[in-house]
């Protein structure tokens, strides 16, 4: 029997959307915030020669530098105030979440509810500033080492660059929080999504130009298009896949009447962690690679140039680290967002149970058993989608936009955003039904 939410979802229509004034305001606010973000990717930091930097960027964009530029929505190739994007914030979030599993104090904060969450967010912001400052200083030094890029090298340029890039990232962090609170949610993911989508026209033009000049065979272009469609279909399938555990509720007696026990399902997503593992893994790889790539442009130490080469796109070390981090964060983030013990306790309190499994600890163990095994499948899926296209495209020297990482982020964020909009519409329709029932009761 369909639930009330499912019945409402089937009845959604354009008229429902036209009446959802609050949702319309949220969508317009989100679009306005993303427009501000895109404008910021065209404002360059002061003190650089754009033409000289463009020549430097052309030499490095084939490697990890190109992936960084993709996440930043082209802000890196223009060396804009948003060049660092949200990578330092994501990295800081990873560090705080990992530390919360080892630090009793941070673990206690997680259990304090809203106040604890605010304190942890504050710690994340402080750590973001530190990561931003380190990366921005490395970028400033690397730019000075590149001949002709900086018009007036020195401490004034370094300090101004650090302040500009740190300020840009902190503003984006605030903008993402505003989209989450006042927009349609997923603020950080939507900013990254907007950056990737913004590079689409340029990448398509680049691919067609390579095909026109003969550098890329026409058959390869067709293969890339078919492969991209297949990857999108695979992502949609796995992101919608669920393992549904049967939940049974006992019979209950109300007065002299005996009511039959209900049944429902506990849905466990095959990929509970979503796109977070890929974003986390990419962010951690970009942190050292950014400094190494910039510094390698000048008279850098031999070991730094060696690291930069090893972390290049398509290199074995880069692929191995990327895969290992995706698998680790798939399990780590799943353990954060889904607690089997808490779920089992809630089922026990409501009288629900899994047939054949004792309520309480045994139920928690069973849920954890099932969740662990489907997470293995989800982690393998994420690794395959993120790495296999990267390997092929790196051999063809095609932009990272067409890779599995960018497609995974785009499709997953789109599905999440559609779900958010549907949730707002369902809430709007439900409120309308409640108001009608109240008015009908008053008339009678």
């Amino acid at each position: 029997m369909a639930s009330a939410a499912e019945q409402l979802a089937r009845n959604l229509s354009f008229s429902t959307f036209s009446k959802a004034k609050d949702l319309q305001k949220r969508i317009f606010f989100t679009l306005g915030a993303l427009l501000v973000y895109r404008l910021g990717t065209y404002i360059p930091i002061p003190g650089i020669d754009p033409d000289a930097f463009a020549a430097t960027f052309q030499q490095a964009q084939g490697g990890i530098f190109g992936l960084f530029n993709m996440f930043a929505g082209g802000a890196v190739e223009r060396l804009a105030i948003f060049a660092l994007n949200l990578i330092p914030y994501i990295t800081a979030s990873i560090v705080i979440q990992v530390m919360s599993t080892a630090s009793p104090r941070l673990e206690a904060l997680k259990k304090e509810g809203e106040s604890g969450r605010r304190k942890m967010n504050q710690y994340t912001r402080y750590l973001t500033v530190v990561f931003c400052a380190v990366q921005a200083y490395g970028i400033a030094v690397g730019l000075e080492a590149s001949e002709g890029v900086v018009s007036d090298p020195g401490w004034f340029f370094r300090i101004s660059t650090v302040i500009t890039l740190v300020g840009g990232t902190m503003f984006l962090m605030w903008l993402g929080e505003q989209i989450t609170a006042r927009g349609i949610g997923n603020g950080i993911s939507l900013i990254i999504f907007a950056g990737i989508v913004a590079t689409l026209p340029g990448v398509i033009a680049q691919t067609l130009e390579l095909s026109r000049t003969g550098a890329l065979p026409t058959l390869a272009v067709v293969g890339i298009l078919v492969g991209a469609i297949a990857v999108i279909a695979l992502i949609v399938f796995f992101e919608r896949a669920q393992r549904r555990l049967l939940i049974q509720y006992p019979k209950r007696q109300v007065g002299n009447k005996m009511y039959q026990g209900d049944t429902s399902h506990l849905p466990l997503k095959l990929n509970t962690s979503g796109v977070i593992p890929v974003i986390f893994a990419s962010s951690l790889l970009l942190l050292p690679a950014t400094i190494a790539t910039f510094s390698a442009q000048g008279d850098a130490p031999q070991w730094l140039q060696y690291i930069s080469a090893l972390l290049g796109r398509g290199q074995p070390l880069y692929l191995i680290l990327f895969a290992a981090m995706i698998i680790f964060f798939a399990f780590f983030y799943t353990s954060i967002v889904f607690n089997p013990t808490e779920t089992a306790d809630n089922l026990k309190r409501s009288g629900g149970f899994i047939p054949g499994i004792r309520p309480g600890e045994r139920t928690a163990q069973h849920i954890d058993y099932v969740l662990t095994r489907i997470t293995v499948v989800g982690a393998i899926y994420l690794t395959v989608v993120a790495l296999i296209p990267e390997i092929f495209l790196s051999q063809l020297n095609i932009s990272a936009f067409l890779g599995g990482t960018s497609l995974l982020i785009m499709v997953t964020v789109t599905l999440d955003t559609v779900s958010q909009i549907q949730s707002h519409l369902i809430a709007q329709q439900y409120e309308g039904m409640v108001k009608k029932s109240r008015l009908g009761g008053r008339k009678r």
Side-chain angles (χ1 to χ4, degrees), residues 33 63 118 125 142 188 193 284 299 309 339 348 362 376 381 384 401-402 427 434:
R118 288 179 181 175
R125 294 187 184 100
I188 303 299
F193 168 84
L284 285 183
D299 188 17
N339 189 335
K348 187 176 181 180
R362 293 296 297 273
V376 171
Y381 140 72
V384 170
F401 168 81
L402 296 172
V434 171

Side-chain angles (χ1 to χ4, degrees), residues 37-203:
Y37 158 63
R38 290 303 303 154
L39 290 175
T41 60
Y42 286 89
I43 303 175
I45 64 174
I48 64 166
D49 184 345
D51 295 331
F53 177 75
T56 303
F57 178 81
Q58 289 297 325
Q59 299 174 6
Q61 67 172 338
I64 196 87
F65 213 15
L67 183 62
F68 198 3
N69 186 54
M70 178 196 73
F71 276 109
V76 175
E77 63 179 316
R78 294 182 286 271
L79 206 58
I81 58 176
F82 292 158
L84 290 180
N85 204 263
L86 288 163
I87 302 302
Y89 173 71
I90 296 172
T91 307
S93 300
I94 299 169
V95 173
I96 293 297
Q97 289 182 1
V98 171
M99 287 177 61
S100 66
T101 62
S103 171
R105 185 186 176 195
L106 291 178
E107 190 173 0
L109 282 177
K110 287 175 64 176
K111 298 178 181 179
E112 289 182 7
E114 184 64 21
S115 62
R117 187 183 66 83
R118 288 179 181 175
K119 289 182 181 178
M120 291 191 67
N121 286 342
Q122 199 67 23
Y123 293 153
T124 304
R125 294 187 184 100
Y126 294 150
L127 193 58
T128 301
V129 173
V130 174
F131 285 154
C132 280
V134 172
Q135 282 187 274
Y137 182 79
I139 290 172
V141 173
L143 289 173
E144 289 182 339
S146 301
E147 185 178 356
V149 173
V150 181
S151 56
D152 187 17
W155 278 105
F156 179 78
F157 170 76
R158 296 179 186 179
I159 293 174
S160 64
T161 299
V162 169
I163 293 175
T164 302
L165 292 179
V166 171
T169 297
M170 299 307 290
F171 176 79
L172 279 185
M173 183 180 68
W174 174 83
L175 193 64
E177 292 175 351
Q178 294 302 307
I179 293 175
T180 301
R182 302 171 59 186
I184 55 177
N186 301 325
I188 303 299
S189 298
L190 278 174
I191 288 177
I192 296 175
F193 168 84
I196 295 175
V197 171
T199 62
L200 174 59
V203 172

Side-chain angles (χ1 to χ4, degrees), residues 237-407:
F237 174 78
F238 274 92
E239 291 299 323
R240 292 301 187 191
Q242 293 179 347
R243 170 68 189 277
R244 306 181 76 184
L245 298 179
L246 179 64
I247 304 296
Q248 225 168 3
Y249 293 91
K251 297 179 180 179
R252 57 193 177 91
Q253 184 172 357
V254 179
N256 295 325
K257 290 186 178 180
M258 179 68 70
Y259 290 90
Q260 185 68 29
D262 294 330
T263 60
S264 65
H265 291 88
L266 175 65
L268 300 177
K269 287 189 65 176
L270 191 65
N271 179 29
T272 306
S273 57
V275 75
I276 296 298
V278 177
I279 295 178
F280 278 10
S282 301
S283 302
L284 285 183
L285 282 176
L286 288 173
L287 179 61
T290 304
I291 302 173
T293 304
F294 269 111
S295 301
Q297 302 301 318
D299 188 17
Q302 187 67 30
W303 63 269
L304 192 57
Q305 296 182 24
Y306 183 67
I307 291 176
S308 178
L310 288 177
L311 291 177
R313 183 182 170 212
Q315 296 301 315
L317 180 60
Y318 168 76
L319 296 176
I320 292 172
L321 288 176
F322 197 19
M325 288 182 181
I326 289 174
I327 294 172
F328 168 76
F329 284 118
F331 281 92
F332 176 75
Y333 197 74
T334 298
S335 67
I336 290 177
V337 299
F338 192 94
N339 189 335
T341 302
E342 184 179 337
T343 303
D345 291 340
N346 291 336
L347 285 175
K348 187 176 181 180
R349 282 194 293 267
S350 62
F353 63 93
I354 299 175
I357 306 295
R358 234 186 290 176
E361 185 178 351
R362 293 296 297 273
T363 298
Q365 292 174 355
H366 179 73
I367 294 174
D368 184 62
Y369 175 86
V370 175
L371 187 64
T372 300
R373 275 145 188 77
I374 64 175
T375 302
V376 171
V377 179
I380 294 173
Y381 140 72
L382 287 175
T383 305
V384 170
V385 169
L387 292 190
I388 298 302
E390 278 305 310
I391 296 173
F392 285 107
L393 294 178
S394 62
Q395 300 301 319
L396 296 174
N397 197 26
I398 303 298
S399 173
F401 168 81
L402 296 172
T405 301
S406 53
L407 289 177

Side-chain angles (χ1 to χ4, degrees), residues 208-229:
L208 294 177
E209 180 64 20
L210 290 174
S211 177
R212 187 186 66 81
T213 57
L216 188 66
T218 305
L219 186 61
V221 177
V222 176
I224 291 172
L225 178 61
V226 173
I229 295 174

